Amino acid sequence: MSRRGAPALLLLAAAGAALAVAGLFLAPDAAAGRQVAATPSGRPGSGAPAPPTAPVPPGSPAVAYFDPGFLRKSAEYTRAQVTFLLNARALRWAVYLTLLMTPLLARLAARLERRLPGRRNAHVAAVSAAVLLVTFAALLPISFASGFVTEHRYGLSNETTAGWLADALKALAIWGAVTCLLTVLYFALRRRMPRGGWAPFAAATVAAVVIGVFVVPVVVDPLFYRFRPLADPTLRRDLVAMAAREGILIDRVLVMEASAKTVRENAYFTGLGRTKRVVLYDNLLEHASPAEVRQVFAHELGHWSRGHITRGLVLAAVTIPLAAWLLWTLHGRLARWPRFGLDGPADPAGIPLVWLLLSVGLFVAAPIEHVVSRSFEREADRVSLELTGDPETFIQGERRMAVNNLTSVDPPRLLKWLFWTHPTTLERIHAAEAWRKGGAG
């Protein structure tokens, strides 16, 4: 491939992304997905069910638990989001290839050398920032269509346009800074330790992951959401007592004011050491019964008591060195390919190549990571059932939250393999039913 013909890659990917975005705005059935259907418990939604534009497969086991109108709507929503996700991935790779195959970054690096002679770390930081901004701008239409337009169209978002853009820029600043710092370190090691630099780079990456898990709950999350202690004294007492039965001593339960941005209901466990915490969405507290809240809280306690974050960090400490070695080896070889026109692996113009290899590697490794994540979630579900002894509430909560969140409850196997970090809703319901029949004993 010549440098002169490389922009065709970007044009092709951009055309595909534009078609996806245009399809979102112009599809005749798009307006049908604006509201969430009624919940199984009878709480009314905001509008009529969607027309049968995506028939439910005959004999689908999900029909035993969910209304066919909801199943059609959730399938449409999932299809739209998967389309955006795949288009965004293709466009990202095309941007990296285009920047790599054209002389733009080489000219920028040469100009930086003239103005800042010898300051190679500054050159790498500047080129990294340029690649980051170009990629962000190229992906912005898809991100907006997926994260704002589609969410509003299906009645899942309360966010304003200004609020969405502000969050996008904050995320760009935070994670862009981390990415640029690690890229500067990578190329500094390329210059000073051309053979074994992958080892200290892996160690630094592991350290960054551990620090990130520790500080994100107290530094990053408050930049996007407000948090407050759980106000209900009776519910708080119940949840603290449940945690004590699981061997966890907590003195407060945090509530995230998610309703400012979304109608989704959720909870999560996060942090490390003193920053460990279980966080409940205010939407969950508003719409779920106390029994359902206890069930969800017990699931998050399962993550805590079984050490899932710590176990995940151990797995990261094992796999990151292997990934760093593979990246170091592949980049070292490809950077010497004459078609790329790079001055070796330490050339800052090769930053898109490094990021492309990382992105492809993460995409390939994601299904394996999801297998581990799903096993953790199943283990947390078992803890929830054991702590509460209430499979009926578990099933009721799974059904109600799936409808409220417009979840694809029984996705195709390929989609599950590629994207699902949790067991499907149908799998979780069946697991609770099996526990009720014999697992409890």
Side-chain angles (χ1 to χ4, degrees), residues 73-285:
K73 187 178 296 184
S74 66
E76 291 169 2
Y77 171 75
T78 300
R79 224 174 12 248
Q81 293 293 34
V82 168
T83 299
F84 285 131
L85 184 63
L86 294 176
N87 272 275
R89 182 77 64 172
L91 182 56
R92 178 182 296 275
W93 293 351
V95 169
Y96 291 158
L97 279 171
T98 300
L99 292 174
L100 180 65
M101 299 299 294
T102 56
L104 298 175
L105 294 183
R107 292 172 183 170
L108 175 60
R111 181 174 298 180
L112 289 168
E113 180 61 35
R114 290 194 299 271
R115 295 190 176 185
L116 300 170
R119 299 181 61 179
R120 300 300 297 275
N121 289 341
H123 301 170
V124 173
V127 175
S128 297
V131 175
L132 193 72
L133 290 173
V134 169
T135 307
F136 175 81
L139 292 175
L140 186 58
I142 294 180
S143 300
F144 184 74
S146 171
F148 184 84
V149 176
T150 304
E151 295 296 294
H152 276 273
R153 184 153 289 174
Y154 282 86
L156 296 172
S157 178
N158 297 324
E159 203 163 18
T160 65
T161 304
W164 185 90
L165 288 173
D167 281 354
L169 291 174
K170 282 188 284 188
L172 173 68
I174 295 167
W175 304 119
V178 174
T179 301
C180 289
L181 285 173
L182 287 174
T183 302
V184 168
L185 174 64
Y186 178 88
F187 278 85
L189 291 169
R190 271 291 183 191
R191 296 192 303 272
R192 299 175 185 178
M193 302 176 63
R195 290 184 178 273
W198 65 269
F201 178 73
T205 304
V206 171
V209 170
V210 174
I211 293 170
V213 172
F214 183 81
V215 304
V216 162
V218 293
V219 176
V220 177
D221 288 349
L223 297 175
F224 295 88
Y225 290 96
R226 291 183 177 182
F227 295 83
R228 55 178 169 81
L230 176 63
D232 185 334
T234 302
L235 182 58
R236 177 190 172 279
R237 184 170 58 250
D238 290 348
L239 299 183
V240 170
M242 181 187 297
R245 292 199 303 273
E246 189 63 8
I248 299 170
L249 300 179
I250 58 175
D251 58 357
R252 64 174 182 164
V253 178
L254 288 179
V255 177
M256 185 174 80
E257 296 181 0
S259 58
K261 300 180 181 182
T262 181
V263 304
R264 284 188 170 88
E265 301 174 13
N266 208 344
Y268 63 91
F269 167 60
T270 187
L272 190 65
R274 291 187 177 182
T275 67
K276 282 183 179 178
R277 60 199 58 201
V278 172
V279 179
L280 304 174
Y281 280 29
D282 60 350
N283 294 325
L284 178 70
L285 294 171

Side-chain angles (χ1 to χ4, degrees), residues 202-217 269-276 303 306-321 369 372-373 376:
T205 304
V206 171
V209 170
V210 174
I211 293 170
V213 172
F214 183 81
V215 304
V216 162
F269 167 60
T270 187
L272 190 65
R274 291 187 177 182
T275 67
K276 282 183 179 178
H303 287 306
R306 298 305 185 265
H308 288 162
I309 287 182
T310 302
R311 287 158 63 183
L313 290 175
V314 170
L315 287 172
V318 172
T319 57
I320 285 176
E369 183 180 337
V372 176
S373 176
F376 286 174

